[in-house]
Amino acid sequence: MIPSQPGGDRGALEDGPVVRVLVAMSGGVDSSVAAALVAEAGHEVVGVTMKLWGGPSDQGCCSVADVGGETPNPCIECNRHLKFDRLTTRAAALGFDAVATGHHARVTVGSDGVCRLRRGVDGAKDQSYVLYMLGREALAGLLLPVGELTKAEVRRRAAALGLRTADKPDSQDVCFIQSRSGRAGFLAERLPLRPGTVVDAAGSVLGTVPAVQLVTIGQRRGLGGAGGTEPRYVLDVDVEGATVTVGDRRQLAVRDQPLRDLDWTSGPVASSHEAPLEAQVSAHGRAQPAVVVPAPGSAPGARGPAVLRWIEPQRRVAAGQAVVLYRGDVVVGGALAA
């Protein structure tokens, strides 16, 4: 754990005693600058890279068997199970005091001494969404040096330091998906892809898709001729029944979104129509006001099912996608869409 003063910001690396820091190096500009900033602050730095995928890849951490017709976020599951589980455990075993990464987010310490995860300064590059699963203990041992910088500032720092990553383009793809075969090729090598029937809400057959496992909620393209006078969107995917249900934009909107595995960062946070939280359902999506309704009979603060009730109807979220809860710029919890 890193000693911190209440009210302090983890971006202020020069505060406090010298510590040993293991920096997760991705090969990009953000982690390169993160390592440089930690070293400049006088701390002992060791960089480490992770082999995230055991199979052939030219670009990994997720089990295809765990997908089951859902649309998971691989980066979130990598953070949950590898970067902030196995890596931090290994760092502690090797005697490091902290782990640092190049994520655009911030960790601050409140007057109550509690570490909180906040959005990064650069709103366009904020990555707090993919770190929502981090609890108090993980945050207490985490440094996010570039969270206080914009991406442009990070690149200027890298250039001033003479780092070869200064002009390296940002990674846009899932690290273990090969550029040659893409997502379809990756899955086809690991599970039998099943053709599916496309139907409307009344059950009328409109077309077919070559692989029902490659279809997700909200999808508009590649629906096998299920066109019409107005755009059609995927409303539901039944992998077992090999059926894709489509409808119009109005049918895609919902007031209530079922959740599972709801977890609060520092205890449950109350919400109401008058004082809602904000829920974000994709890495770069816009957070929208909503109220969290606990499942009947659930214990306060317990990890489990709930319902997210939007103040205004929103597009339904594909099962497996993360729903991250904010109050202001602070991450207060998150869940997976059910």
Side-chain angles (χ1 to χ4, degrees), residues 85-171:
D85 184 354
R86 294 191 182 184
L87 178 62
T88 54
T89 299
R90 187 64 178 271
L94 293 173
F96 288 92
D97 302 296
V99 168
T101 75
H103 286 96
H104 281 263
R106 296 176 293 151
V107 178
T108 60
V109 185
S111 57
D112 54 2
V114 174
C115 293
R116 291 179 172 84
L117 179 66
R118 295 179 180 270
R119 291 191 184 277
V121 167
D122 191 334
K125 295 295 182 180
D126 172 54
Q127 293 174 299
S128 59
Y129 173 87
V130 299
L131 300 177
Y132 85 88
M133 79 298 297
L134 300 181
R136 293 185 185 183
E137 184 176 349
L139 293 174
L142 178 63
L143 293 172
L144 301 174
V146 304
E148 292 291 332
L149 305 176
T150 65
K151 188 71 177 199
E153 289 172 331
V154 170
R155 292 198 180 279
R156 284 197 293 271
R157 290 284 189 105
L161 291 166
L163 300 179
R164 67 177 64 184
T165 57
D167 297 318
K168 185 176 180 178
D170 291 341
S171 174

Side-chain angles (χ1 to χ4, degrees), residues 22-38:
L22 189 70
V23 183
M25 307 292 291
S26 67
V29 65
D30 293 316
S31 60
S32 300
V33 171
L37 292 175
V38 176

Side-chain angles (χ1 to χ4, degrees), residues 13-298:
L13 296 172
E14 65 279 0
D15 295 343
V18 172
V19 295
R20 298 187 71 221
V21 181
L22 189 70
V23 183
M25 307 292 291
S26 67
V29 65
D30 293 316
S31 60
S32 300
V33 171
L37 292 175
V38 176
E40 284 181 358
H43 301 297
E44 181 183 341
V45 175
V46 174
V48 63
T49 59
M50 299 182 68
K51 182 179 180 181
L52 298 176
W53 184 248
S57 173
D58 59 3
Q59 293 291 300
C61 60
C62 304
S63 168
V64 176
D66 292 336
V67 176
E70 296 192 347
T71 307
N73 185 310
C75 296
I76 286 179
E77 297 311 313
C78 176
N79 287 336
R80 189 193 311 275
H81 298 293
L82 296 182
K83 291 179 184 173
F84 297 100
D85 184 354
R86 294 191 182 184
L87 178 62
T88 54
T89 299
R90 187 64 178 271
L94 293 173
F96 288 92
D97 302 296
V99 168
T101 75
H103 286 96
H104 281 263
R106 296 176 293 151
V107 178
T108 60
V109 185
S111 57
D112 54 2
V114 174
C115 293
R116 291 179 172 84
L117 179 66
R118 295 179 180 270
R119 291 191 184 277
V121 167
D122 191 334
K125 295 295 182 180
D126 172 54
Q127 293 174 299
S128 59
Y129 173 87
V130 299
L131 300 177
Y132 85 88
M133 79 298 297
L134 300 181
R136 293 185 185 183
E137 184 176 349
L139 293 174
L142 178 63
L143 293 172
L144 301 174
V146 304
E148 292 291 332
L149 305 176
T150 65
K151 188 71 177 199
E153 289 172 331
V154 170
R155 292 198 180 279
R156 284 197 293 271
R157 290 284 189 105
L161 291 166
L163 300 179
R164 67 177 64 184
T165 57
D167 297 318
K168 185 176 180 178
D170 291 341
S171 174
Q172 300 294 330
D173 299 318
V174 179
C175 64
F176 55 81
I177 298 296
Q178 298 185 39
S179 58
R180 295 186 301 274
S181 57
R183 184 167 58 104
F186 176 85
L187 291 175
E189 293 175 356
R190 292 162 175 83
L191 54 78
L193 298 181
R194 303 175 58 194
T197 302
V198 181
V199 302
D200 62 17
S204 299
V205 176
L206 304 176
T208 61
V209 291
V212 68
Q213 292 95 334
L214 299 180
V215 180
T216 189
I217 301 296
Q219 182 175 325
R220 177 181 170 187
R221 301 181 185 278
L223 298 178
T229 57
E230 60 180 87
R232 295 182 188 270
Y233 301 85
V234 175
L235 305 179
D236 183 64
V237 180
D238 178 3
V239 174
E240 291 299 320
T243 303
V244 176
T245 304
V246 300
D248 60 30
R249 183 185 294 272
R250 294 183 299 276
Q251 292 172 296
L252 190 60
V254 296
R255 176 75 72 173
D256 288 353
Q257 173 65 53
L259 303 176
R260 63 178 173 86
D261 301 333
L262 172 64
D263 204 5
W264 299 102
T265 304
S266 299
V269 177
S271 57
S272 65
H273 195 280
E274 293 73 27
L277 298 173
E278 289 189 314
Q280 185 171 322
V281 300
S282 64
H284 300 292
R286 183 176 179 181
Q288 299 292 338
V291 175
V292 175
V293 181
S298 62

